[in-house]
């Protein structure tokens, strides 16, 4: 086998983050007796994506990201405390243990042959309960959360922490699998490990970042590996 260690991103690679996000936002709106519609979800997703890019770039800290995205969402429209709303949202997001189609089957198929780990830029209070409450925790024993270790993808420190956690040093035997070109694939490439871009929607890659492999379906991993 070419690889010994498989590093997986969590959200929208194994976990259905879009579904969890929609559930959490809807529940938080309900908690504050606010009228919810899909327009809020679409607007929030655009704002949230921009804040996570700032986190990747180091221009905002996780503690600020938590509430500032809701501050931006509600600005001059709804009289809601963004900190309180954030707490309600994150509580519900931590319950969103929805998996992508094929994720469990693929992980089960790989677990007996490889060392598996999840490497995520998510928030600890969200990612830890989601992971522990999901069936994946039976097969994946290592979870690296950026907020816990003080690094975030694509920072090489994040990958250092992952390999240290699984007691592995040979980068030629490691592959990073994820849906984000800017964090998962760029991070893996810069660190000197192979990468696999999970691209289920067939997006055009105009980033200049070149993954080792590209897949549309998680089951393709079983063929590659």
């Amino acid at each position: 086998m070419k690889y010994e260690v498989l590093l997986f991103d969590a959200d929208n690679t194994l976990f259905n983050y879009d579904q969890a996000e929609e559930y959490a936002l809807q529940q938080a709106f309900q908690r504050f007796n606010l009228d919810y519609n899909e327009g809020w979800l679409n607007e929030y997703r655009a704002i949230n994506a921009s804040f996570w890019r700032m986190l990747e770039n180091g221009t905002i800290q996780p503690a600020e990201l938590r509430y500032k995205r809701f501050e931006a969402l509600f600005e001059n429209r709804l009289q809601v405390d963004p900190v309180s709303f954030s707490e309600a949202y994150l509580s519900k997001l931590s319950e969103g243990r929805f998996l992508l189609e094929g994720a469990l089957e693929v992980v089960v198929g790989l677990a007996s042959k490889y060392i598996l780990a999840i490497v995520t830029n998510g928030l600890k209070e969200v990612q830890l309960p989601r992971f522990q409450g999901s069936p994946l925790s039976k097969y994946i024993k290592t979870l690296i959360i950026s907020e816990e270790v003080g690094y975030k993808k694509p920072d090489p420190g994040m990958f250092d922490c992952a390999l240290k956690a699984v007691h592995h040093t040979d980068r030629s035997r490691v592959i990073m699998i994820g849906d984000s070109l800017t964090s998962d694939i760029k991070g893996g490439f810069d660190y000197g490990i192979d990468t696999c871009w999970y691209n289920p929607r067939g997006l055009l890659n105009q980033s200049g970042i070149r993954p080792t492999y590209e897949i549309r379906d998680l089951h393709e991993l079983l063929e590659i590996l």
Side-chain angles (χ1 to χ4, degrees), residues 23-110:
Y23 166 79
L25 194 65
Q26 194 167 8
Q27 292 295 309
F29 264 72
Q30 186 176 318
R31 162 73 176 77
F32 285 85
N33 298 312
L34 302 171
D35 291 330
Y36 172 83
N37 59 58
E38 197 171 316
W40 284 112
L41 175 64
N42 293 334
E43 192 172 343
Y44 170 71
R45 282 178 169 161
I47 290 170
N48 190 44
S50 69
F51 273 90
W52 278 99
R53 282 194 295 272
M54 286 191 281
L55 186 74
E56 284 180 19
N57 296 334
T59 55
I60 194 171
Q61 295 302 311
E64 296 175 289
L65 178 144
R66 277 176 165 80
Y67 70 90
K68 281 189 175 292
R69 52 190 175 174
F70 295 112
E71 205 173 67
L73 179 65
F74 298 141
E75 186 177 18
N76 301 325
R77 292 189 293 175
L78 295 178
Q79 298 302 310
V80 184
D81 174 30
V83 175
S84 298
F85 189 91
S86 175
E87 289 172 356
Y89 171 80
L90 292 174
S91 173
K92 291 301 179 182
L93 190 62
S94 70
E95 298 172 5
R97 295 155 191 168
F98 315 106
L99 297 179
L100 290 175
E101 183 180 351
L104 180 58
E105 182 184 349
V106 168
V107 166
V108 170
L110 296 171

Side-chain angles (χ1 to χ4, degrees), residues 112-159:
S112 63
K113 303 173 185 175
Y114 301 92
I115 299 168
L116 309 184
I118 287 178
V119 183
T120 174
N121 278 359
L123 304 174
K124 179 184 176 181
E125 69 198 86
V126 172
Q127 301 299 62
L128 198 55
R130 286 174 73 212
F131 174 70
Q132 291 175 338
S134 84
L136 295 181
S137 62
K138 181 179 177 182
Y139 305 96
I140 302 177
K141 301 305 179 185
T142 303
L143 175 65
I144 307 297
I145 303 174
S146 59
E147 193 178 26
E148 278 192 311
V149 300
Y151 299 98
K152 54 193 174 297
K153 296 175 292 183
D155 193 304
M158 190 71 165
F159 296 90

Side-chain angles (χ1 to χ4, degrees), residues 4-15:
E4 293 178 1
V5 177
L6 313 183
L7 303 180
F8 283 93
D9 173 49
D11 292 323
N12 288 335
T13 298
L14 295 176
F15 288 89

